[in-house]
Amino acid sequence: MSASAVRATKACGADGAPATLRIAILGARGIPASYGGFETFAEQLATRLASRGHQVTVYAECGDQPVADTVYQGVRVRSRRRPRWGAASVLAYDCACLWDARRGYDLVYMLGYGAAWACWWPRVFGVPVWINVDGLEWARSKWGWGARTYLRFMEWVSTKVATRLIADAEAIAQRFRQNYPSGAPTSFVAYGAELVPAEAADPSVLANWGLQAHRYMLVVARPEPENHILEIVQGHLLHGGEWPLVVVGDVSGGTPYQQQLKALASERVRFVGGIYDAAQLQSLRVHAACYLHGHSVGGTNPSLLEALACGNWVIAHDNPYNREVARDAAEYFNTPEQLARCLGRVAGQGAGLQARRAQHARAIVSEHYTWDGITDAYEVLMRAECRPLDPVGAAKP
């Protein structure tokens, strides 16, 4: 039998109908999403796969008391305890999920490689394991040398234990192919976003912060050096315009970097803390004069996609990952001086170009980053590689 015939047989049941797959998604805190990018991704992918007939389980954190399985939009949510071990608690939680998912599934999909060594457990039982490598996790400044060394090692381990690696940016996928040529195959499947029309965002919300529509600059990011918030603030101060810079992100932790940022706070540089209400954050994005994006450690960053989906005029840090996503819908900077010049163009030309730039930004999302399109790509890859549900096999109890 030819390879193509084998793939077709695996992808369909005996009657030729598309096969049902049992899929476990691990590495997120749970769904519905209320925390970050992995949670949003898990919810968007899992619910869409479930609506297409697959049996999908998303693992979720719980406290000290056991929690019974629940169902969310057709997805089984299976809870496992996250110990209170400080930084090691996430690793322990991921390992508990991997042990539970070691059999009974046609595919285990782990988001992140922090527990890559434990991905052997499902492999022993013949279950394929995919690992989403995200960005350059080991390069983040929040980690000390010990954690960085461990994560760099886990990056290598992930290439040995996974049956396939998934990167949400082609630049990351190419890096893995070049650095680990004998490792697991690496596929690029992008992250997604939902388009947000301007009329869907209530401008009256801006009064909460004393802002006027299209007369402020916006940043949404964790206050970490690799997100270049300091350079963004410095560039805004060099620009010297009247419109304030609004920074959404928690700077209350007291790290030296956060203290450096808070020292620059003023009426023109406003640190408004974390905003977790989706409608409020959406309104802030849609009605900003421009969105400033400083992320630089890799992957398709959700904040950048969301800014494009809101039709923002984007000014992004100049690196391959941001250029891959925003293409010609953004301007790029490396220094505060370059950013100041970009902000001058926004203030001087923004009103005349805003509608055209917004249309172009949303068109990029519509063409390359819709969640339905992302799910299509995953389903094709899953059907080509994964063993279909056998006649007896219901999902693992």
Side-chain angles (χ1 to χ4, degrees):
M1 183 181 291
S2 68
S4 59
V6 170
R7 286 194 295 270
T9 301
K10 292 177 72 175
C12 299
D15 60 356
T20 295
L21 297 174
R22 300 165 295 182
I23 303 161
I25 299 176
L26 291 64
R29 295 191 175 192
I31 61 173
S34 59
Y35 180 74
F38 270 160
E39 286 68 37
T40 298
F41 170 76
E43 177 179 345
Q44 295 288 349
L45 179 63
T47 55
R48 283 171 168 78
L49 288 172
S51 71
R52 300 179 185 196
H54 299 289
Q55 295 183 15
V56 186
T57 299
V58 172
Y59 280 77
E61 294 180 359
C62 67
D64 294 333
Q65 299 301 317
V67 177
D69 293 355
T70 60
V71 176
Y72 174 76
Q73 295 186 17
V75 177
R76 182 175 68 152
V77 181
R78 187 165 176 82
S79 296
R80 283 295 173 266
R81 178 175 173 268
R82 177 177 175 175
R84 300 173 183 173
W85 295 349
S89 62
V90 175
L91 175 60
Y93 163 70
D94 285 344
C95 289
C97 295
L98 280 162
W99 180 254
D100 188 77
R102 67 192 183 279
R103 55 187 173 187
Y105 295 101
D106 302 320
L107 172 66
V108 168
Y109 187 14
M110 169 57 74
L111 307 181
Y113 53 66
W117 62 269
C119 290
W120 276 117
W121 296 337
R123 293 293 308 276
V124 168
F125 290 89
V127 179
V129 176
W130 291 359
I131 298 178
N132 188 308
V133 297
D134 198 21
L136 307 180
E137 184 63 28
W138 51 266
R140 298 186 187 278
S141 61
K142 66 180 179 180
W143 302 120
W145 71 267
R148 289 189 183 194
T149 301
Y150 171 80
L151 289 170
R152 192 68 183 262
F153 180 58
M154 284 301 103
E155 179 184 276
W156 175 82
V157 170
S158 70
T159 71
K160 302 300 180 183
V161 303
T163 52
R164 180 167 296 276
L165 302 175
I166 306 291
D168 63 16
E170 181 59 40
I172 292 291
Q174 290 178 359
R175 177 185 175 276
F176 270 80
R177 294 176 193 131
Q178 293 168 0
N179 290 1
Y180 308 103
S182 61
T186 303
S187 294
F188 159 61
V189 184
Y191 194 85
E194 295 187 25
L195 292 172
V196 181
E199 58 270 18
D202 181 6
S204 67
V205 171
L206 302 180
N208 294 337
W209 301 279
L211 300 172
Q212 300 178 46
H214 305 298
R215 294 183 64 83
Y216 62 93
M217 320 295 190
L218 180 66
V219 181
V220 181
R222 291 188 179 95
E224 297 169 353
E226 61 269 19
N227 293 338
H228 294 93
I229 299 177
L230 179 60
E231 290 86 346
I232 289 173
V233 171
Q234 291 170 337
H236 181 264
L237 294 175
L238 284 173
H239 160 59
E242 296 181 357
W243 299 348
L245 173 67
V246 178
V247 181
V248 177
D250 186 4
V251 294
S252 63
T255 67
Y257 187 74
Q258 292 180 14
Q259 291 173 356
Q260 193 175 7
L261 289 173
K262 286 190 288 187
L264 298 173
S266 67
E267 186 61 24
R268 292 186 59 244
V269 180
R270 306 181 190 178
F271 295 94
V272 298
I275 297 176
Y276 304 103
D277 182 280
Q280 289 187 353
L281 191 55
Q282 185 171 280
S283 291
L284 274 174
R285 290 187 192 278
V286 168
H287 298 294
C290 70
Y291 178 81
L292 309 177
H293 186 77
H295 294 69
S296 63
V297 293
T300 298
N301 186 267
S303 292
L304 178 54
L305 274 184
E306 289 160 8
L308 294 171
C310 288
N312 283 138
W313 183 320
V314 173
I315 305 174
H317 182 267
D318 194 355
N319 60 68
Y321 317 112
N322 292 339
R323 282 189 176 272
E324 178 183 327
V325 174
R327 297 170 168 81
D328 60 349
E331 297 183 59
Y332 298 93
F333 74 94
N334 276 309
T335 66
E337 291 77 14
Q338 291 173 340
L339 176 57
R341 290 193 289 272
C342 292
L343 292 175
R345 284 192 291 273
V346 173
Q349 306 172 25
L353 297 177
Q354 184 66 43
R356 189 170 67 195
R357 292 185 68 104
Q359 182 181 18
H360 185 43
R362 291 189 177 101
I364 288 175
V365 174
S366 181
E367 183 175 354
H368 301 283
Y369 297 105
T370 64
W371 282 116
D372 284 336
I374 302 309
T375 305
D376 290 342
Y378 269 105
E379 191 174 30
V380 168
L381 199 56
M382 289 172 176
R383 288 196 184 282
E385 291 196 1
C386 301
R387 176 178 57 84
L389 178 66
D390 59 52
V392 180
K396 186 163 84 77

